[in-house]
Each structure stands twice: as structure tokens, then as C-alpha cells.
Amino acid sequence: MTTRRPKAELGPAIRAVPLLAADNVTIQLLSTKQRQQLLSIATKVQHPKGQVIYRRGTPGTWLYFCQEGIVKTYRDLPSGTRRITAFLFAHDMFGLAEAGRYVNTAQAVTPVTSYRVAKETLAAVLQQDAALEYHFLAKLAHELRSSQRRAMMLGRRDAAGRLAMFIILMKRHGSERTADDLIRLPMSRSDIAAFLGQSLESISRATTRLTKLGIVQFQGRYAVRVLDPARLEELASNL
Amino acid sequence: MTTRRPKAELGPAIRAVPLLAADNVTIQLLSTKQRQQLLSIATKVQHPKGQVIYRRGTPGTWLYFCQEGIVKTYRDLPSGTRRITAFLFAHDMFGLAEAGRYVNTAQAVTPVTSYRVAKETLAAVLQQDAALEYHFLAKLAHELRSSQRRAMMLGRRDAAGRLAMFIILMKRHGSERTADDLIRLPMSRSDIAAFLGQSLESISRATTRLTKLGIVQFQGRYAVRVLDPARLEELASNL
DNA sequence: CGTCATTTTGAGGTATTTCAACGAAGGTGG
DNA sequence: CCACCTTCGTTGAAATACCTCAAAATGACG
């Protein structure tokens, strides 16, 4: 557990692709000035692995920016089944509320560093700074797209294909920190199952299937190496 | 496509529930001034039933505001299967793009009246008007929530339950125009199937099942009367 | 009123879910 | 440091539900 000591604190980072600017594919980061402005109203928070950050139904006071680590947001259904609505990674924001209450429960999958800011405060700032607000708009559009992609994923009936999509999804998020072909899956199998809307057993069987097909190779439970990217892609896009 | 010219045009309406203002449950509508500002840069467009409004992959120039009617957005998968990502109703906006291209195809399910505005223009206006932009933020948050709700729906395995959720979803949107218990389902069965991620036959069987159970009664193909709301709710929330 | 598309119904195949038991891993306390 | 215990993951077998293919029936439309 190494705590870094950067000389100049930059404040929350938000990565967003523009919603409206038609042909700008570049990933935009907040300007230093904007970061500092956010920093002045935000608080840095550390969450140990497994900690519940907020619960569904409680007053949605804060908005969070994941700075490091992975967060899951979920709902427990009456039947006892759990549905994970999203995994949040560095630069993602979470804390969606409806009628003043959080709509999901948020929990740290790994140790998490986040910034949190009172929504009231943020709203006031945004009303003053259209440019900053625009970043939030873009970010939200990004979230919407991932949510739609996920819905697309859930539409599939075939387990191996879903898992393939999930691995590829995780690859995109981890590529910055790990080797090219080694993908970390820090969440449990049941988390993956709850995210993909399938039973834990199906996920387990799917992993062994992918392994036996020689497409992937597991390095322990929480890391997977892709041996045959082409076939993985094919499985994922096949349908 | 027709262009506007009524006497007192109010301009596009956007309904949005606030994302950030914690305990304000009230549905906010744009102020008259804001509507007029949007109107000055927007064009009213009429789409006959079945018309494709834009296609996935084409340049995402415009953002649309559904004023009347129902729009579906979808993707056709390589296998030939169609996935409907959303149905859009009055006051919803659509035209989500990524890297300058529409991510879905949009098509009018019923005759549709919409406002469309060039994204570049809108972006410029929003950068100047933080309050207006805030409405868009709220609207987008709303879209995100529905997308998540839909993902929740897709997670279910049971056909009757999914259909029950869909009927309830449609009830919420149609209650303004029809009698309390008569719900219009203007889209085809295949559209419903593509939205719920199931086969057309499954949907058909589910409708007959719900009918035989005495929970609903169909008035033709495109309207359904709920006879037993309690059991419908139970089916929908059960899981 | 006839034609065409959509919807319903039927039968069989297949995938996932369940239920159940076993094996592995991680954490805690002695 | 090891043993125990709890949680998580794997594997097996049966049941259920959906999907696919195919054909009949219904409804829409000109």
C-alpha cells in the first residue's frame, strides 16, 4: 500500500468524450484550473476493499469521482438476487440519485480513492461555469453509452459470449496499468454473474469453456491472459 | 419534412428531473424564455410512421427532441437480430453519437413531431447558458436511469415478468392521453421482442399467458387493459 | 374482397437455471 | 506457523424455459 506524495495536488480527474462536438474524438481532461476549482469543494475519501460507500434509498447527498480502484453499484432484488448496474473505474463518477435518494448501493471492490462533493455545492458551481458543466454533460453521455452497451450485452443468451464481452470490457479499463495481454478481474465470480445477469455456475462453466478452447488462460482467479484475441473478439461480437 | 409557422410556438419541451438538486422531486420544464431560445435554433420536423430519422454510423449532426409520437432507436446485429435500445416519447431527446457518428438508428414508430437542432449550434448556446445546460444534464441523468432500469429488466429470464414490466413502463408514458387502465402499445410484437431481448414467439406466448391468467385483456393488438394491476405488479417486481 | 405481413400456435432441441455436493482459497485465532 | 472455519468456486445431474423451425390464423391494406 504505497501512498504517493505528488507535489501539486491536481484534484479530481474526469475523462469525458464530448457529446455534442461532432468530430472530436480526443479524450478531454479538465484543465488545471477547473480541477483546482473542483478540488476546492471536494473531499478526498479512502474506502477499504469491501466497504459500502452509500446505500440505495439513503439521501443522495454526495456525488463521487473515482480516482483509483474499482467500485460496483448494485441493487438487491426482493428475491434475494443481486443485480450489479455498473463497475466504476478511475475517472468515472457515481452517485446517481432519483427524488433525492441513491438509486443503487455503491461498494468498493478494491481499495478505492475517490473525491466526493456535495451535490448542492456542485450544482451551484456548475450553474456558474458552463464550460465545466459541459464536461459533466459529456461524461454523462459517456455513461449512457456504456449503459446501453451493457444492455446490449445482457440481451445475449449465450454465456460464453457474454463473458467474452466482459473480458474485453475489462481489458479496456486495465490496459493502462497491466501488461498488454494480462487482464485483471478484481471482482468475484458472483459479481460478474450479477453484472451479466446469469447464475454463478454459468459463469464458472463459461470460464472453463473459454479456457479449454484455448482462448484464455487464467492466472489465478483474478487475472486472465488472452491467448487468442481473434477468437475472443469473434465470440464477443458473434450474435 | 415540414417547417414550422404557428402563431405562438412554445418551442421544444424537455422534461427533466434534477440530477443534483437533492430533494426536489418536481418535474421541471423549461422556462418560456429558454424554450424560445431553443426554438430560435431548432427546426420542427414531421416524420411519417415508419420513417427512418437517421441511421447508425452516419454523421451525428443533429440532436432531436421528440415532441409528439414515439420513436425507436435500434441496432442491427451481424446475425440479423435487431436490438431496440430505447423507445422515446414526448419530451425525450435522442441523437446520441460517439466519435461524431450516431450509435443507433432512429425510426418513427408512430407519426412523430420533433424538433431538431444542430449539435454545434446547441453546444455553442449551452456554453453560454449554464442554466439551460443544467436542464440537459438533468435530462441526460434521466435517460441514464431509464437505461439502467431497462438493463435490470433484461436481466430477468422469465418472459411473462419482462412483459409485465414492459406494460407497466408503457403505462407510465401513456397515462396522459388514454383512460386509466387502457394502455396503448403502438409498436409491433417484434419491436417489443427486440426491446426485451427475446424471440417474437416468446412475447406472443407471454401475452396469451397473461391474458389467460386474467391479468390483462387485449383490445385489438395495440391496446391492452389491465384487469388485475396487483398481480401485474407482482409479476413485474417478482424476482 | 383478396393479398401480404404480422401474430399465434405447435413440437423438438438446446442452453441455462437449480439443487446438491465437493474442492479450493482466504482469514482468524490459537 | 498451523489448524480451523467460512466463503467462494467448481463440477455433476435433472428440470425448466426459451429458441428455432414450421404451419395455421388473424388482421391490415389496397
Side-chain angles (χ1 to χ4, degrees):
Chain A
M1 213 60 66
T2 48
T3 337
R4 265 218 260 83
R5 188 98 199 76
K7 38 204 165 218
E9 186 83 62
L10 272 175
I14 307 176
R15 181 190 306 158
V17 295
L19 161 71
L20 299 176
D23 39 20
N24 182 353
V25 198
T26 319
I27 285 175
Q28 300 183 329
L29 292 170
L30 294 179
S31 72
T32 308
K33 190 180 125 208
Q34 289 175 323
R35 281 180 161 220
Q36 283 171 346
Q37 184 174 14
L38 273 181
L39 182 58
S40 69
I41 58 170
T43 310
K44 200 175 189 175
V45 192
Q46 306 271 2
H47 303 279
K49 175 180 172 178
Q51 186 177 70
V52 170
I53 301 172
Y54 57 77
R55 273 183 208 287
R56 168 176 166 84
T58 59
T61 317
W62 311 95
L63 192 67
Y64 293 82
F65 303 93
C66 182
Q67 188 65 15
E68 194 178 346
I70 301 182
V71 173
K72 65 181 174 187
T73 58
Y74 61 84
R75 263 176 241 193
D76 286 314
L77 301 168
S79 66
T81 322
R82 175 166 295 179
R83 280 284 144 70
I84 292 184
T85 52
F87 288 109
L88 290 315
F89 304 89
H91 312 308
D92 286 334
M93 68 183 187
F94 58 101
L96 189 70
E98 186 166 29
R101 308 267 164 181
Y102 288 120
V103 296
N104 300 307
T105 299
Q107 190 176 1
V109 174
T110 64
V112 165
T113 306
S114 69
Y115 284 89
R116 90 174 169 203
V117 51
K119 293 184 180 180
E120 306 256 336
T121 312
L122 180 61
V125 170
L126 291 187
Q127 298 271 6
Q128 299 303 315
D129 187 343
L132 179 61
E133 190 176 11
Y134 193 74
H135 278 280
F136 279 83
L137 206 57
K139 185 61 188 166
L140 216 45
H142 181 68
E143 298 287 344
L144 182 57
R145 280 190 297 258
S146 353
S147 181
Q148 285 195 356
R149 242 193 302 277
R150 167 146 181 276
M152 214 59 92
M153 199 153 88
L154 286 172
R156 310 192 50 155
R157 204 136 307 289
D158 122 83
R162 284 194 189 187
L163 184 61
M165 294 184 82
F166 183 72
I167 291 174
I168 290 172
L169 177 72
M170 290 303 295
K171 179 177 186 151
R172 266 200 279 282
H173 284 286
S175 55
E176 310 143 8
R177 303 167 57 195
T178 59
D180 310 7
D181 53 350
L182 187 66
I183 302 169
R184 290 202 52 80
L185 307 176
M187 63 290 294
S188 69
R189 293 286 186 269
S190 6
D191 279 348
I192 299 177
F195 182 73
L196 296 179
Q198 294 180 285
S199 70
L200 166 62
E201 292 93 330
S202 286
I203 299 301
S204 179
R205 281 184 246 270
T207 59
T208 62
R209 201 179 318 168
L210 256 54
T211 303
K212 283 184 180 166
L213 285 171
I215 297 177
V216 301
Q217 184 183 16
F218 275 84
Q219 220 92 52
R221 274 170 174 170
Y222 299 114
V224 62
R225 188 177 302 282
V226 178
L227 301 177
D228 194 336
R231 276 207 291 169
L232 188 71
E233 276 290 346
E234 189 200 328
L235 255 180
S237 57
N238 170 352
L239 206 196
Chain B
M1 264 123 287
T2 347
T3 16
R4 66 242 164 52
R5 192 109 277 298
K7 44 199 177 213
E9 186 83 63
L10 270 176
I14 307 178
R15 181 191 305 159
V17 296
L19 162 69
L20 300 176
D23 40 19
N24 184 352
V25 198
T26 320
I27 286 175
Q28 302 183 328
L29 292 169
L30 293 178
S31 71
T32 309
K33 190 180 124 208
Q34 289 174 324
R35 281 180 162 220
Q36 282 171 347
Q37 184 174 16
L38 272 181
L39 180 58
S40 68
I41 58 171
T43 309
K44 198 176 191 176
V45 190
Q46 306 270 3
H47 303 279
K49 174 179 172 179
Q51 185 177 68
V52 170
I53 301 172
Y54 56 78
R55 274 183 206 287
R56 169 177 164 83
T58 58
T61 317
W62 311 94
L63 192 67
Y64 292 83
F65 302 94
C66 182
Q67 188 66 13
E68 195 178 345
I70 300 182
V71 173
K72 65 181 174 188
T73 58
Y74 61 84
R75 262 175 242 193
D76 287 314
L77 300 168
S79 66
T81 320
R82 174 166 296 179
R83 279 285 145 69
I84 292 185
T85 53
F87 288 109
L88 290 315
F89 305 88
H91 312 308
D92 286 334
M93 68 183 188
F94 58 101
L96 189 70
E98 186 166 28
R101 307 267 165 183
Y102 288 120
V103 296
N104 300 308
T105 298
Q107 189 177 1
V109 174
T110 64
V112 166
T113 307
S114 70
Y115 284 90
R116 87 173 172 205
V117 51
K119 292 185 180 180
E120 307 255 336
T121 312
L122 180 62
V125 169
L126 290 187
Q127 298 272 4
Q128 299 303 316
D129 187 343
L132 180 61
E133 190 176 11
Y134 192 74
H135 278 280
F136 278 82
L137 205 58
K139 185 61 189 166
L140 216 46
H142 181 68
E143 298 287 345
L144 181 58
R145 279 190 297 259
S146 3
S147 181
Q148 286 194 357
R149 242 193 302 278
R150 167 147 181 275
M152 214 58 92
M153 198 152 88
L154 286 172
R156 310 193 51 156
R157 202 132 314 287
D158 129 78
R162 285 195 191 188
L163 183 62
M165 294 184 81
F166 183 72
I167 291 174
I168 291 172
L169 177 73
M170 290 303 295
K171 180 178 184 149
R172 267 200 279 281
H173 284 287
S175 56
E176 311 142 9
R177 302 168 56 195
T178 59
D180 310 8
D181 53 350
L182 187 66
I183 303 168
R184 291 202 51 79
L185 308 176
M187 62 289 296
S188 70
R189 294 285 186 270
S190 5
D191 279 347
I192 298 177
F195 182 72
L196 296 179
Q198 293 180 284
S199 71
L200 165 62
E201 292 93 329
S202 287
I203 298 301
S204 179
R205 281 184 246 271
T207 59
T208 62
R209 202 180 318 167
L210 256 54
T211 302
K212 284 184 179 167
L213 285 170
I215 297 177
V216 301
Q217 184 182 15
F218 275 84
Q219 221 92 52
R221 273 170 175 168
Y222 299 114
V224 62
R225 189 177 301 283
V226 178
L227 301 177
D228 194 337
R231 276 207 290 167
L232 188 71
E233 275 291 346
E234 189 200 329
L235 255 180
S237 58
N238 173 349
L239 205 196

